[in-house]
């Protein structure tokens, strides 16, 4: 469903620059609304009741597992466990000198550069590169620049909203090619939407093909001439087009949706096989997919299906038919589907719980990787907080599923959203992230919090006595900087295996511990060891340990300048810095 993308039924309406935390965006605290459902860490509990009152009970808390789910937040705790299992991997950095000897105390900084997971948007191809629509200038140059900038900042993948549809592509090939090249120049992936789509109202089929389809299709479409039924011509034209468009782009498209909305727009299938055909198991459908698969196999390119009402809807007849389509293509025709597309145009009354979402994802995952291809929330009067809350819940649940691969919103700026073409005056244009004046909607903050904060690796610490520093990293590309007392060395590594450990060996010059024999300063003061046990107990420079030092330690227990230096702060001897070390320091007073 796009601008001119489908006529909904009554049911439900109807790599250089992958996502990187925008430079102007600091890592942000979760909003109060989000905090109501996220796991409650012990440190947040302690802050809520005050350090002084909490220290007396810390010993009792110190044996806990680390976090508990907030009321009604079990879904999120479970999602975070799945995310850790399926979306992260151990990353080990081993630092050695030129002789192969380990360098201990070298400072290692790991900063994520791009996600392995696909986060994308549909784009208006002509406006993106020309600031036009059907040849006429629309909006302003500043709008176009903002459009381009926000796409680069927020996404690593895009799909053309309209101009890869057969008839529109033939008449706008240059605009489509320019948009694809714009994305590839920025290291972004591009999805192919779509080889064949039978929607006449959306001008998705060439008039010559509709004429050859004969009655009733040609007679009902103003763009077509007189019906001239020639089914062999329809077959030949469709077959030629599948080969032509896949070959035209080759490796520049990562996955093609071969036939869009088979369940809802079967006109070309019916023209070939008869109006009584069951389109989801039609022979011609299998033929097209096998042909597309053979052509795409020459490139790094997959083939996918795509439809609506198979996630965002309130009855389950169409999910049954969609699964029949998958079963037919995969098990009867031998198609290797690389993607199961779920459009996800949610109306307000179609919101799903995390359990319901997971059930549907589990159901489809047997047949291929899962793509949320056209996500938005605009039908039936959503308010912006409802949009933000549901996007957060849906995206976190979807990202946590091991078979999920891509999440794309169907346009991110409201003036270029397809809502006006939906055919319902109560459902105007309403993109998830930006209003008409480019002011940000709450859902954008939730999206950034997930993609660029919660799911973004930004870790640092010293190597141990074996020259090793290990952390948990999200799958994707990372920049690793190793600093010794003599030099700084930077390397890039891709972390791609959630089941193993990615090991990077870095050869450096000099000794470790670039800070010398002291830890980094905290609030302008270098913590000191006043007891001679090798641990820094005096955070304020007073010459002894007081409750003020304990308060400073507690408030900075998650600060990398403390957490990454257990050799100075590991009072309980477990090899890491946690609130239990605060307990031990307090009890030593």
């Amino acid at each position: 469903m796009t601008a001119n993308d489908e006529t909904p039924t009554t049911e439900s309406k109807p790599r250089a620059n992958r996502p990187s935390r925008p430079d102007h965006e600091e890592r942000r605290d979760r909003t109060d609304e989000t905090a109501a459902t996220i796991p409650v860490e012990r440190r947040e509990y302690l802050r809520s009741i005050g350090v002084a009152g909490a220290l007396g009970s810390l010993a009792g808390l110190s044996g806990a597992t680390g976090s508990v789910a907030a009321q009604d937040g079990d879904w999120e705790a479970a999602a975070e466990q799945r995310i850790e299992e399926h979306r992260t991997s151990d990353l080990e950095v081993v630092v050695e000198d030129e002789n192969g000897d380990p360098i201990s105390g070298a400072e290692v900084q790991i900063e994520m550069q791009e996600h392995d997971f696909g986060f994308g948007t549909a784009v208006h191809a002509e406006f993106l590169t020309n600031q036009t629509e059907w040849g006429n200038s629309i909006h302003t140059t500043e709008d176009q620049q903002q459009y381009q900038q926000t796409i680069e900042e927020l996404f690593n993948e895009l799909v053309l909203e309209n101009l890869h549809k057969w008839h529109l592509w033939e008449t706008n090939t240059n605009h489509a090619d320019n948009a694809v090249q714009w994305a590839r120049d920025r290291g972004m992936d591009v999805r192919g939407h779509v080889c064949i789509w039978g929607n006449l109202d959306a001008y998705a089929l060439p008039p010559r093909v509709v004429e050859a389809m004969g009655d009733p299709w040609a007679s009902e479409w103003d763009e077509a001439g007189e019906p001239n039924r020639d089914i062999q011509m329809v077959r030949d034209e469709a077959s030629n087009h599948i080969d032509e468009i896949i070959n035209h782009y080759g490796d520049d498209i990562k996955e093609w949706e071969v036939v869009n909305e088979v369940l809802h727009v079967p006109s070309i299938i019916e023209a070939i096989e008869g109006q009584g055909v069951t389109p989801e198991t039609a022979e011609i459908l299998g033929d097209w997919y096998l042909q597309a698969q053979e052509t795409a196999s020459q490139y790094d390119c997959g083939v996918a299906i795509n439809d609506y009402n198979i996630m965002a809807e309130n009855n389950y007849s169409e999910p049954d038919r969609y699964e029949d389509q998958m079963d037919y293509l995969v098990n009867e025709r031998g198609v290797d589907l690389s993607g199961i597309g779920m459009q996800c145009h949610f109306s307000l009354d179609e919101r799903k719980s995390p359990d319901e979402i997971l059930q549907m994802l589990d159901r489809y995952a047997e047949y291929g990787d899962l793509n949320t291809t056209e996500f938005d929330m605009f039908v039936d009067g959503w308010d912006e907080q409802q949009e933000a809350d549901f996007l957060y819940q849906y995206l976190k649940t979807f990202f946590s599923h091991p078979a999920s691969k891509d999440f794309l919103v169907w346009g991110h700026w409201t003036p270029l959203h397809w809502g006006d073409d939906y055919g319902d005056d109560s459902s105007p244009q309403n993109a998830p992230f930006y209003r008409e004046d480019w002011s940000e909607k709450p859902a954008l903050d939730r999206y950034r919090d997930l993609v660029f904060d919660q799911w973004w690796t930004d870790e640092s610490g010293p190597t141990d006595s074996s020259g090793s520093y290990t952390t948990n990293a999200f799958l994707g590309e990372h920049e690793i900087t190793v600093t010794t007392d003599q030099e700084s060395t930077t390397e890039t590594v891709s972390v791609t295996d959630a089941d193993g450990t990615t090991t990077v060996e870095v050869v450096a010059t000099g000794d470790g511990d670039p800070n010398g024999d002291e830890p980094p300063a905290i609030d302008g003061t270098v913590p000191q060891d006043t007891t001679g046990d090798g641990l820094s107990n005096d955070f304020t420079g007073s010459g002894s340990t007081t409750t003020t030092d304990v308060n400073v330690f507690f408030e900075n227990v998650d600060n990398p300048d403390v957490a990454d230096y257990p050799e100075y702060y590991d009072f309980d001897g477990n090899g890491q810095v946690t609130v239990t070390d605060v307990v031990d320091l307090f009890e030593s007073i």
Side-chain angles (χ1 to χ4, degrees):
M1 280 160 54
T2 64
N4 292 327
D5 203 74
E6 72 183 35
T7 303
T9 59
T10 55
E11 59 46 64
S12 10
K13 320 27 183 184
R15 264 181 208 272
N17 212 6
R18 301 241 170 160
S20 56
R21 187 181 300 118
D23 293 339
H24 64 277
E25 287 293 329
E26 298 180 354
R27 299 187 72 173
R28 58 190 69 205
D29 293 332
R30 295 172 181 172
T31 63
D32 291 339
E33 294 85 358
T34 305
T37 58
I38 62 175
V40 180
E41 300 288 347
R42 283 180 293 172
R43 58 182 178 271
E44 298 301 333
Y45 163 74
L46 295 174
R47 289 192 179 103
S48 71
I49 64 175
V51 176
L55 285 172
S57 60
L58 266 172
L61 283 173
S62 62
T65 58
S67 67
V68 294
Q71 185 177 6
D72 298 326
D74 289 347
W75 76 268
E76 188 160 20
E80 289 179 346
Q81 290 177 354
R82 291 190 301 271
I83 289 169
E84 182 173 0
E85 179 180 358
H86 303 300
R87 302 295 173 198
T88 70
S89 177
D90 288 335
L91 174 58
E92 179 186 27
V93 181
V94 179
V95 183
E96 300 174 339
D97 63 19
E98 296 90 337
N99 298 318
D101 296 324
I103 299 178
S104 63
E107 181 69 13
V108 178
Q109 173 71 44
I110 299 174
E111 175 68 27
M112 194 169 188
Q113 301 299 304
E114 54 189 57
H115 270 286
D116 182 63
F117 196 89
F119 297 100
T121 185
V123 299
H124 187 304
E126 191 178 347
F127 179 76
L128 177 70
T129 58
N130 267 37
Q131 198 200 318
T132 56
E133 180 179 63
W134 314 131
N136 299 313
S137 295
I138 58 171
H139 306 296
T140 67
T141 300
E142 291 74 17
D143 285 329
Q144 184 197 29
Q145 293 171 346
Q146 187 80 349
Y147 190 66
Q148 294 174 335
Q149 178 181 335
T150 52
I151 290 170
E152 288 189 69
E153 287 181 348
L154 296 173
F155 308 109
N156 62 14
E157 185 170 319
L158 58 76
V159 61
L160 307 194
E161 185 178 27
N162 283 310
L163 296 191
H164 276 157
K165 295 162 184 171
W166 187 353
H167 177 44
L168 299 178
W169 179 67
E170 287 187 343
T171 54
N172 296 274
T173 305
N174 287 339
H175 290 313
D177 290 354
N178 290 340
V180 170
Q181 190 61 50
W182 183 92
R184 299 301 294 144
D185 286 346
R186 289 155 179 80
M188 303 176 75
D189 286 331
V190 182
R191 293 188 58 78
H193 175 80
V194 54
C195 295
I196 295 177
W197 185 37
N199 194 326
L200 305 186
D201 292 337
Y203 306 100
L205 294 174
R208 67 183 183 279
V209 173
V210 180
E211 293 166 14
M213 287 164 58
D215 283 329
W217 301 281
S219 298
E220 295 176 355
W221 196 45
D222 292 340
E223 295 294 314
E226 290 296 319
N228 183 22
R229 184 171 174 80
D230 185 346
I231 296 308
Q232 188 58 48
M233 182 266 203
V234 175
R235 285 177 175 270
D236 292 344
E237 287 275 345
S239 179
N240 292 339
H241 175 65
I242 289 171
D243 283 344
E244 180 183 15
I245 197 167
I246 294 176
N247 282 318
H248 182 82
Y249 290 103
D251 290 326
D252 284 339
I253 301 292
K254 82 167 196 176
E255 184 174 77
W256 277 101
E257 294 161 6
V258 181
V259 187
N260 191 37
E261 297 175 357
V262 169
L263 304 185
H264 299 96
V265 193
S267 58
I268 189 170
I269 295 174
E270 292 177 337
I272 292 172
E273 296 206 2
Q275 289 185 271
V277 68
T278 301
E280 59 267 29
T281 58
E283 182 178 6
I284 189 63
L285 179 68
D287 293 345
W288 283 335
Y289 269 89
L290 288 173
Q291 178 186 345
Q293 179 174 273
E294 182 178 358
T295 305
S297 68
Q298 304 172 66
Y299 313 103
D300 186 16
C301 181
V303 296
I305 62 175
N306 192 50
D307 218 316
Y308 66 95
N309 287 5
I310 43 80
M311 174 67 78
E313 60 108 44
N314 287 327
N315 70 74
Y316 284 85
S317 61
E318 292 180 4
D320 288 343
R321 294 180 59 203
Y322 201 45
E323 189 170 7
D324 288 344
Q325 180 181 339
M326 301 174 209
D327 184 69
Y328 169 69
L329 291 174
V330 173
N331 295 324
E332 292 190 37
R333 300 302 301 270
V335 177
D336 182 14
L337 289 177
S338 62
I340 308 299
M342 300 166 287
Q343 290 187 6
C344 293
H345 298 282
F346 281 99
S347 67
L348 186 60
D349 65 355
E350 292 170 342
R351 288 172 293 177
K352 298 291 185 289
S353 71
D355 282 347
E356 290 173 316
I357 294 167
L358 285 173
Q359 288 172 7
M360 297 301 293
L361 298 179
D362 285 342
R363 179 178 185 178
Y364 299 147
E366 175 185 348
Y367 301 97
D369 290 336
L370 305 175
N371 303 323
T372 296
T373 53
E374 304 184 18
F375 184 92
D376 58 12
M377 308 157 289
F378 73 102
V379 180
D380 294 344
W382 292 76
D383 67 44
E384 291 186 349
Q385 192 57 53
Q386 289 171 325
E387 293 174 5
D389 292 343
F390 184 69
L391 179 138
Y392 182 91
Q393 184 183 79
Y394 179 88
L395 179 51
K396 194 161 200 176
T397 303
F398 183 74
F399 184 71
S400 76
H401 196 282
S404 296
K405 180 179 64 177
D406 291 342
F407 172 87
L408 292 87
V409 295
W410 203 244
H412 69 298
W413 181 42
T414 289
L416 296 183
H417 183 259
W418 74 285
D420 282 357
D421 295 303
Y422 179 75
D424 183 343
D425 291 340
S426 67
S427 305
Q429 292 170 298
N430 184 21
F433 292 160
Y434 291 99
R435 305 180 189 94
E436 184 173 1
D437 63 357
W438 288 104
S439 58
E440 298 179 0
K441 299 176 65 176
L444 177 57
D445 188 66
R446 292 295 186 90
Y447 174 85
R448 283 194 180 119
D449 173 46
L450 291 173
V451 177
F452 301 115
D453 190 352
Q454 294 188 40
W455 305 336
W456 197 264
T457 309
D458 187 1
E459 304 290 342
S460 63
T463 55
D464 60 20
S465 59
S466 67
S468 174
Y469 172 76
T470 301
T471 191
N472 196 244
F474 284 93
L475 303 184
E477 188 172 286
H478 297 75
E479 186 177 86
I480 299 173
T481 301
V482 174
T483 303
T484 66
D485 61 347
Q486 292 188 22
E487 69 171 7
S488 180
T489 302
T490 299
E491 295 190 11
T492 300
V493 61
S494 292
V495 180
T496 58
D497 184 5
D499 296 324
T501 298
T502 300
T503 301
V504 182
E505 295 183 358
V506 179
V507 177
T509 301
D511 297 322
D513 196 2
N515 296 301
D517 295 328
E518 294 182 333
I522 305 298
D523 297 335
T525 300
V526 176
Q528 299 294 316
D529 171 20
T530 65
T531 64
D533 64 356
L535 298 174
S536 298
N537 57 291
D538 176 15
F539 286 77
T540 61
S542 66
S544 62
T545 305
T546 68
T547 55
T548 302
D549 295 298
V550 176
N551 273 292
V552 174
F553 186 18
F554 171 70
E555 289 299 329
N556 287 277
V557 73
D558 293 328
N559 184 336
D561 287 340
V562 172
D564 293 340
Y565 293 87
E567 64 268 35
Y568 298 112
Y569 305 114
D570 183 18
F571 291 95
D572 67 359
N574 70 351
Q576 57 186 335
V577 183
T578 68
V579 290
T580 58
D581 296 300
V582 182
V583 175
D584 282 10
L585 180 61
F586 173 71
E587 291 179 344
S588 72
I589 299 177

